[in-house]
Amino acid sequence: MSNESLANLLREERRFAPPADLAAAANVTAEAYEQAKADRLGFWAEQARRLTWAAEPTETLDWSNPPFAKWFADGKLNVAYNCVDRHVENGLGDRVAIHFEGEPGDSRSLTYADLQREVAKAANALTELGVQAGDRVAIYLPMIPEAVVAMLACARIGAPHSVVFGGFSADALATRIQDADARVVITSDGGYRRGKPSALKPAVDEALTRPGTENVRSVLVVRRTGQETAWHEGRDVWWHELVDRQSEQHTPEAFGAEHPLFILYTSGTTGKPKGILHTTGGYLTQVAYTHHAVFDLKPESDVYWCTADVGWVTGHSYIVYGPLANGATEVLYEGTPDTPHQGRWWEIVQKYGVTIFYTAPTAIRACMKWGDDIPAKFDLSSLRVLGSVGEPINPEAWVWYRRNIGADRTPVVDTWWQTETGGIMISPLPGVTETKPGSAQVPLPGIAATVVDDEAREVPDGAGGYLVLTEPWPSMLRTIWGDDQRYLDTYWARFGPGQSATGVAWRYFAGDGAKKDDDGDIWLLGRVDDVMLVSGHNISTTEVESALVSHPKVAEAAVVGATDPQTTQAICAFVILRGSASESEGLVEELRAHVAKALGPIAKPKRILPVAELPKTRSGKIMRRLLRDVAENRALGDVTTLTDSSVMELIQSKLPTASED
Ligand code: WT7
């Protein structure tokens, strides 16, 4: 079966019309697309009215100095006031903002009134530590309510935060502290992970011995695990000692809409991490709108849960800022999906009656691997919308998710966006879009995206190329912290500025390969650096992976192109087999034939290596660079951002038994 007929099969046999009840009551209707198309800026100006402004903006977009955008520039607002205080003022103080579930099973719920008190106290504490508007604060915490409180407290006093994922090493933390020149670090003694306390504070202590971190005056430490913690007198201060004694009153100051809200580092495949800068008014407008539209949020009745970590942009936009700006009730979970058992997530869904669930394809595939009987043990009937983010979701995992978690009833929204875009850009809308497994489908109202070829020409339906965003959007990154040139070079130089019908057009290059199907729907094909060149054909690693996992014996697959004297690159696949499947004699041959049948002989992997685990970053992205090192028999590159560095030793130990033809 060719590529195209695979896509056709998915289109014809697996299209899902939105459930009638959802369609009837959806937050957004199909007209929104038309309205936004007719007046894009008017549309965003209207969405900005979801926020409470201290000074209403009179100007929507200033694009006079592209690619440096200003949105709602003369507006003034306080982000924390919008996420917390205004809900209390509107009589919603008793509504639960956060149901916290710790990994060991401890739980606590914070209402909006509680959150207001906590954020006010933390803001007062930061002020007492000398933090002023504009100062950067690094946050290195587990998934506990204090992480959310700390971010909101920074936002409240106009101090941009830089959240560093709690799983990162002292090195990674030090680089980020240096680059942002942070003045304060907020951390904890540790957090619970996989059934035991795991220390965080030692990494901060180590990072602060590095040159370039001298400007950190204070380290504010939350007590979470109670473990033994080294103390640096005069610098370290316990959260419960400093924050708890502060006043619960704090008057929020209004900042300009372009005041920096946060810096978040994206690892990038090479070079030093990029500090992506987001600002306030446009960012909050888009994350609030998209959270309302894409998840069809009904704040008075929904219980929303996003399983991401606050260390990633998903946590910033869809745990902290979007949901709280909308007055949502949400779950915050500290641990891993399989601690203490593989049904932990579903147990939490059942406990809180979660209605909207947002997770990543890698997690969905892990649950698939653990077996259908696990979610079947829990009552998941409260769920009404399921979301996916982080990488292309293979149609099999999409269908499994809808069927086994969503009881074949809920829409699945496949949301494409990036740290740089700040908010969701391409996604179906529940109740509006007929969904297709594996496709993010359509740009949201107010968003302009398309697929272009090497010469920046828009490709016709049915063809592939590069994903570009053709108009600025409110939550776009404003620059790379301290490096305007790199911002220009990385995102805007590849396809612009070029002439278009309306003058000079700037196109944002997302770095992702994409294609448009015959209906004009967009399918994401992964990072362009993940496209292989085999005997003159461009083959996407994602498509081969998707074909492999459509085989009943394969749970997960990672594909790389290894340099090959005959074919430029040869396809090399690493597969994790399903629980019951074993590495039998003919299996590799069977899988190769399966891919050839699904995608054509050109896509048949030259090598297939069954492995126990795949190397992943802590955000769940497969580190293909390391697999390429293995496939090309090279020494391994940097493994410091891996979740578990022993995985690579395991994979390499398998090499001699690799099947090859
Ligand atoms: C890259 C951005 C967005 C929050 C988490 C990741 C890939 C993300 C999808 C999707 C296909 C996706 C892209 C993108 N990606 N969502 N729904 N379908 N690919 O943020 O770490 O900045 O990564 O993740 O390759 O460019 P990030």
Side-chain angles (χ1 to χ4, degrees):
M1 192 172 17
S2 72
N3 225 341
E4 206 166 319
S5 48
L6 175 71
N8 278 336
L9 180 98
L10 291 168
R11 260 207 309 282
E12 283 158 18
E13 301 193 354
R14 296 182 183 160
R15 286 179 81 142
F16 299 97
D21 53 340
L22 205 75
N27 282 351
V28 175
T29 60
E31 286 76 68
Y33 292 100
E34 296 312 313
Q35 188 206 337
K37 204 168 183 176
D39 180 10
R40 195 172 54 87
L41 295 182
F43 171 83
W44 284 117
E46 192 183 316
Q47 301 317 322
R49 289 197 268 277
R50 300 177 171 279
L51 308 183
T52 304
W53 297 82
E56 295 274 342
T58 61
E59 182 184 76
T60 303
L61 169 67
D62 175 354
W63 192 233
S64 58
N65 180 29
F68 300 94
K70 289 186 184 141
W71 282 86
F72 311 115
D74 61 349
K76 284 192 156 101
L77 78 169
N78 185 286
V79 169
Y81 172 83
N82 272 275
C83 292
V84 185
D85 306 58
R86 65 168 174 159
H87 304 312
V88 179
E89 288 171 14
N90 289 338
L92 302 174
D94 291 337
R95 178 182 290 173
V96 171
I98 296 173
H99 287 297
F100 168 67
E101 188 75 19
E103 202 197 62
D106 57 321
S107 60
R108 70 181 157 119
S109 295
L110 282 87
T111 63
Y112 274 95
D114 294 332
L115 196 57
Q116 184 181 38
R117 284 188 286 271
E118 295 305 317
V119 173
K121 285 192 291 181
N124 285 322
L126 290 175
T127 304
E128 187 178 318
L129 292 177
V131 179
Q132 292 177 2
D135 287 351
R136 274 82 54 208
V137 174
I139 298 179
Y140 184 65
L141 282 171
M143 284 290 288
I144 55 177
E146 286 80 359
V148 180
V149 171
M151 289 164 76
L152 291 169
C154 288
R156 193 170 184 99
I157 62 172
H161 54 68
S162 161
V163 181
V164 180
F165 174 56
F168 276 152
S169 64
D171 275 343
L173 176 62
T175 323
R176 286 157 177 76
I177 290 173
Q178 288 154 358
D179 188 74
D181 189 17
R183 302 306 157 98
V184 167
V185 180
I186 306 179
T187 188
S188 69
D189 49 359
Y192 291 95
R193 227 181 143 69
R194 302 205 177 278
K196 38 180 202 290
S198 153
L200 277 179
K201 174 74 165 34
V204 177
D205 293 337
E206 194 186 327
L208 295 184
T209 63
R210 307 286 161 81
T213 61
E214 298 81 4
N215 286 332
V216 174
R217 290 184 297 256
S218 317
V219 178
L220 184 55
V221 190
V222 176
R223 188 147 73 196
R224 166 68 182 141
T225 58
Q227 67 202 104
E228 195 60 45
T229 300
W231 211 248
H232 195 296
E233 280 309 326
R235 185 197 72 185
D236 298 350
V237 36
W238 284 111
W239 176 286
H240 59 266
E241 286 175 6
L242 179 69
V243 177
D244 288 2
R245 66 169 163 77
Q246 301 293 323
S247 159
E248 290 174 357
Q249 306 301 317
H250 182 274
T251 309
E253 183 187 335
F255 297 99
E258 286 296 340
H259 188 83
L261 178 61
F262 65 84
I263 303 167
L264 183 60
Y265 289 84
T266 55
S267 46
T269 39
T270 49
K272 93 175 199 212
K274 301 188 282 276
I276 304 301
L277 178 68
H278 283 288
T279 59
T280 54
Y283 173 80
L284 200 62
T285 296
Q286 189 169 336
V287 298
Y289 170 70
T290 51
H291 186 255
H292 154 92
V294 172
F295 299 106
D296 189 45
L297 178 82
K298 308 285 195 284
E300 61 289 349
S301 54
D302 275 318
V303 178
Y304 165 83
W305 181 16
C306 165
T307 67
D309 191 283
V310 288
W312 312 120
V313 74
T314 314
H316 284 60
S317 302
Y318 298 106
I319 292 178
V320 182
Y321 294 111
L324 297 177
N326 288 336
T329 294
E330 64 179 332
V331 171
L332 186 78
Y333 173 54
E334 180 184 29
T336 49
D338 51 349
T339 308
H341 57 80
Q342 293 173 337
R344 185 68 191 274
W345 273 7
W346 317 124
E347 187 177 73
I348 295 173
V349 167
Q350 175 179 291
K351 173 173 176 184
Y352 294 105
V354 172
T355 58
I356 306 170
F357 182 72
Y358 192 28
T359 195
T362 174
I364 299 167
R365 284 192 296 268
C367 294
M368 249 173 112
K369 185 168 67 183
W370 297 333
D372 303 1
D373 54 319
I374 293 174
K377 287 184 207 139
F378 299 92
D379 178 5
L380 307 180
S381 60
S382 53
L383 291 168
R384 61 181 201 92
V385 179
L386 299 176
S388 168
V389 63
E391 56 177 318
I393 179 166
N394 50 301
E396 291 69 26
W398 192 107
V399 169
W400 184 90
Y401 190 31
R402 180 184 154 100
R403 183 165 303 153
N404 292 276
I405 307 304
D408 250 335
R409 173 179 43 81
T410 60
V412 172
V413 289
D414 177 1
T415 63
W416 180 89
W417 59 295
Q418 311 177 297
T419 305
E420 292 87 341
T421 70
I424 298 172
M425 303 292 283
I426 306 178
S427 170
L429 289 178
V432 179
T433 319
E434 191 165 290
T435 51
K436 288 178 189 175
S439 172
Q441 298 186 287
V442 275
L444 292 180
I447 299 299
T450 191
V451 180
V452 298
D453 66 14
D454 268 317
E455 266 93 63
R457 284 181 303 240
E458 197 165 335
V459 303
D461 289 352
Y466 307 95
L467 183 74
V468 293
L469 303 171
T470 54
E471 297 287 354
W473 63 100
S475 64
M476 65 196 278
L477 77 164
R478 298 305 193 256
T479 189
I480 292 174
W481 181 256
D483 202 344
D484 286 351
Q485 190 58 45
R486 193 174 178 200
Y487 167 67
L488 247 154
D489 294 344
T490 309
Y491 305 107
W492 301 94
R494 177 76 174 77
F495 289 118
Q499 296 298 322
S500 79
T502 50
V504 179
W506 285 80
R507 299 180 203 84
Y508 170 91
F509 173 45
D512 281 350
K515 66 179 180 194
K516 289 201 252 169
D517 68 17
D518 297 337
D519 303 329
D521 279 333
I522 297 175
W523 294 67
L524 278 311
L525 301 175
R527 307 293 301 166
V528 286
D529 3 284
D530 294 338
V531 171
M532 303 170 288
L533 185 62
V534 183
S535 306
H537 296 265
N538 279 320
I539 299 175
S540 115
T541 52
T542 305
E543 280 177 310
V544 179
E545 285 162 7
S546 181
L548 281 165
V549 292
S550 73
H551 189 284
K553 289 184 187 155
V554 177
E556 239 192 300
V559 166
V560 297
T563 308
D564 184 278
Q566 270 91 45
T567 57
T568 316
Q569 285 190 309
I571 302 177
C572 186
F574 298 78
V575 297
I576 301 180
L577 299 178
R578 284 230 189 195
S580 54
S582 68
E583 227 171 287
S584 63
E585 266 295 290
L587 180 65
V588 164
E589 241 352 274
E590 188 181 324
L591 295 179
R592 295 179 68 226
H594 178 79
V595 175
K597 190 159 169 266
L599 299 174
I602 187 77
K604 183 155 101 176
K606 183 163 186 192
R607 266 170 115 182
I608 297 184
L609 206 63
V611 292
E613 287 293 339
L614 290 170
K616 288 194 185 148
T617 63
R618 286 159 176 138
S619 63
K621 287 200 181 9
I622 294 167
M623 291 188 74
R624 291 199 177 69
R625 172 172 62 75
L626 295 177
L627 293 174
R628 226 172 286 129
D629 290 343
V630 171
E632 295 178 346
N633 300 315
R634 257 198 315 270
L636 289 187
D638 180 26
V639 293
T640 54
T641 53
L642 272 184
T643 354
D644 175 3
S645 51
S646 66
V647 164
M648 287 316 294
E649 287 155 34
L650 255 169
I651 293 177
Q652 284 180 308
S653 72
K654 298 267 310 190
L655 269 184
T657 62
S659 156
E660 213 166 338
D661 61 3

